[in-house]
């Protein structure tokens, strides 16, 4: 099953909502790894549900993956324990949680190329150092074109060779295509 990861930091929360307003039921899991204050996660999750209508799971204990949106509980990181099981916890002392690097490291251990990683606006370079290794395993990257803060996207661009550099609307169309492909597979 294909899985989508949307990452970002400063300047990305509004674009996350734009990406998720696809006017379709989700047929795929989408993981959100957006730098947020611990206290803001629940409000962000509620805002996403209200704006998009999609079910969103705040991951605290082991969670078996199904169609829907996933975000780590406040102040924690999201990680894959297996291809189908997510957890959240603090796995490394970092200044930001959820940590993109910790999530991407857990994806790398899976040896699963069925990931699509969307990198939105942000500060810093969280996760960029693992991008090349994931790219070599067949993971696909989509980098926001003209982000509000280009530090995070530029850090990923510097580590990747094969990626798509897209506007938010172009990214949204890719998500719709992946979601529609999965819907057709489920109907068969």
């Amino acid at each position: 099953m294909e899985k989508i990861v949307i990452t970002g930091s400063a300047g990305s929360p509004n674009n996350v909502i734009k990406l998720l307003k696809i006017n379709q039921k989700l047929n795929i899991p989408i993981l959100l790894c957006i730098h947020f204050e611990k206290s803001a996660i629940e409000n962000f999750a509620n805002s996403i549900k209200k704006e998009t209508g999609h079910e969103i799971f705040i991951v605290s204990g082991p969670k078996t993956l199904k169609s829907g949106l996933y975000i780590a509980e406040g102040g924690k990181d999201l990680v894959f324990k297996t291809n189908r099981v997510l957890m959240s916890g603090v796995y490394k002392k970092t200044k930001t949680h959820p940590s993109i690097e910790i999530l991407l490291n857990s994806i790398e251990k899976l040896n699963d190329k069925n990931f699509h990683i969307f990198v939105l606006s942000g500060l810093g370079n969280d996760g960029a150092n693992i991008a090349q290794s994931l790219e070599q395993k067949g993971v696909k990257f989509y980098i926001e074109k003209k982000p509000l803060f280009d530090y995070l996207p530029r850090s990923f661009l510097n580590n990747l060779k094969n990626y798509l550099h897209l506007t938010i609307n172009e990214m949204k169309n890719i998500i719709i295509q992946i979601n529609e492909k999965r819907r057709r597979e489920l109907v068969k």
Side-chain angles (χ1 to χ4, degrees):
M1 172 176 28
E2 294 186 86
K3 298 169 256 329
I4 291 177
V5 174
I6 300 174
T7 67
S9 181
S12 65
N14 288 335
N15 283 339
V16 169
I17 291 172
K18 287 177 187 175
L19 287 177
L20 297 173
K21 284 186 173 181
I22 62 173
N23 297 319
Q24 297 177 350
K25 175 184 179 263
L26 286 180
N27 301 302
I28 51 174
I30 299 178
L31 289 73
L32 305 176
C33 189
I34 309 297
H35 295 159
F36 259 115
E37 290 295 318
K38 181 179 182 176
S39 60
I41 291 293
E42 197 167 309
N43 287 337
F44 183 53
N46 289 333
S47 179
I48 289 171
K49 183 174 175 89
K50 179 182 172 192
E51 293 284 331
T52 69
H54 299 308
E55 185 171 9
I56 185 161
F57 304 99
I58 298 176
V59 179
S60 55
K63 187 80 175 161
T64 301
L65 214 55
K66 61 181 185 176
S67 299
L69 300 171
Y70 297 85
I71 194 165
E73 66 182 319
K76 300 205 175 157
D77 303 308
L78 196 59
V79 297
F80 276 91
K81 288 301 186 182
T82 70
N83 282 19
R84 307 276 297 168
V85 177
L86 288 172
M87 290 283 296
S88 80
V90 177
Y91 296 93
K92 179 180 175 184
K93 289 202 183 252
T94 61
K95 63 181 178 177
T96 54
H97 295 282
S99 166
I100 299 166
E101 180 178 341
I102 289 170
L103 175 59
L104 297 186
N105 277 328
S106 76
I107 291 170
E108 183 189 35
K109 292 175 185 171
L110 296 176
N111 254 348
D112 182 347
K113 66 180 181 177
N114 292 312
F115 280 90
H116 300 266
I117 299 175
F118 292 77
V119 180
L120 304 180
S121 176
L123 302 171
N125 63 355
D126 186 19
N129 63 342
I130 194 76
Q132 187 176 31
S133 176
L134 287 168
E135 177 184 56
Q136 291 169 350
K137 293 180 180 213
V139 171
K140 294 165 196 71
F141 284 87
Y142 310 88
I143 312 296
E144 182 180 359
K145 189 185 282 186
K146 297 183 182 177
L148 186 58
F149 297 100
D150 73 344
Y151 305 103
L152 183 64
R154 192 174 342 118
S155 294
F156 274 83
L157 289 173
N158 290 337
N159 285 295
L160 295 169
K161 293 180 182 157
N162 300 308
Y163 56 85
L164 292 176
H165 205 198
L166 305 171
T167 66
I168 292 300
N169 282 334
E170 290 168 328
M171 288 179 160
K172 180 177 176 175
N173 288 333
I174 297 286
I175 291 171
I176 290 169
Q177 290 170 12
I178 295 166
N179 192 57
E180 182 61 23
K181 177 183 171 198
R182 180 65 179 155
R183 186 195 63 77
R184 288 190 306 271
E185 291 170 356
L186 292 170
V187 171
K188 290 182 182 180

